[in-house]
Amino acid sequence: MRTRGFSLDGNQLKLIAVVFMIFDHVYTYLLLDVLPAWCSLIARFVAPLFVYMLVEGSFHTSSRKRYLLRIIEAAMITWAGEIIINLMFHNVDPLTHKMTIYSIIEGNNILVTLAIYLGIMWTLELFRENKRR
């Protein structure tokens, strides 16, 4: 008797990653003292999963330029949201305990990191193609 294997498609993986990322952010920013310390370890697979999905997406996209621009656009929208949150909650510099430009623009934005990774991968591929010519 054959049994079916367990499999997930890319969208299901992304949804699982987003749920764990939200859990990690809630733990990190809201419930640090309430939940046990191991809760921060639960979502550590999310960043490598996003990088894996980025690489897969770069191989299957019809336009790397549009793919990169969409990631940058999403990063800028997320960054704008982080700035609004930092202003609303009066995020201060930990050393001076005053609001500084850095305390306003800081945040955890993996989309900026993914855009940089995609730019590096694309550049390396262009170098490799030029080397073949």
Side-chain angles (χ1 to χ4, degrees):
M1 178 165 90
R2 272 181 92 175
T3 60
R4 287 185 156 186
F6 180 75
S7 67
L8 296 170
D9 65 14
N11 287 330
Q12 291 167 329
L13 280 173
K14 287 179 209 173
L15 182 62
I16 290 169
V18 166
V19 167
F20 276 92
M21 183 179 60
I22 290 170
F23 176 79
D24 183 54
H25 282 62
V26 166
Y27 170 79
T28 302
Y29 297 110
L30 300 177
L31 303 171
L32 191 58
D33 297 331
V34 178
L35 297 173
W38 57 265
C39 288
S40 74
L41 299 176
I42 290 176
R44 296 303 169 203
F45 75 95
V46 172
L49 181 62
F50 281 150
V51 172
Y52 171 77
M53 298 302 289
L54 176 82
V55 172
E56 283 292 311
S58 72
F59 286 130
H60 297 291
T61 187
S62 60
S63 171
R64 286 215 174 99
K65 181 179 179 182
R66 283 195 328 239
Y67 189 48
L68 180 60
L69 288 175
R70 280 194 310 264
I71 293 173
I72 291 172
E73 182 179 284
M76 293 302 112
I77 291 169
T78 306
W79 198 11
E82 290 171 351
I83 290 171
I84 291 168
I85 289 170
N86 288 338
L87 287 170
M88 284 175 45
F89 290 101
H90 301 287
N91 191 24
V92 296
D93 185 289
L95 297 175
T96 63
H97 301 291
K98 296 179 182 176
M99 283 189 83
T100 63
I101 190 68
Y102 178 73
S103 69
I104 293 170
I105 65 171
E106 77 172 333
N108 293 327
N109 195 340
I110 193 170
L111 294 168
V112 173
T113 306
L114 293 177
I116 291 168
Y117 288 167
L118 183 58
I120 290 170
M121 288 186 325
W122 192 11
T123 302
L124 290 173
E125 188 169 323
L126 290 173
F127 280 136
R128 192 174 74 192
E129 287 174 5
N130 285 338
K131 192 176 181 180
R132 288 181 188 165
R133 293 180 189 175

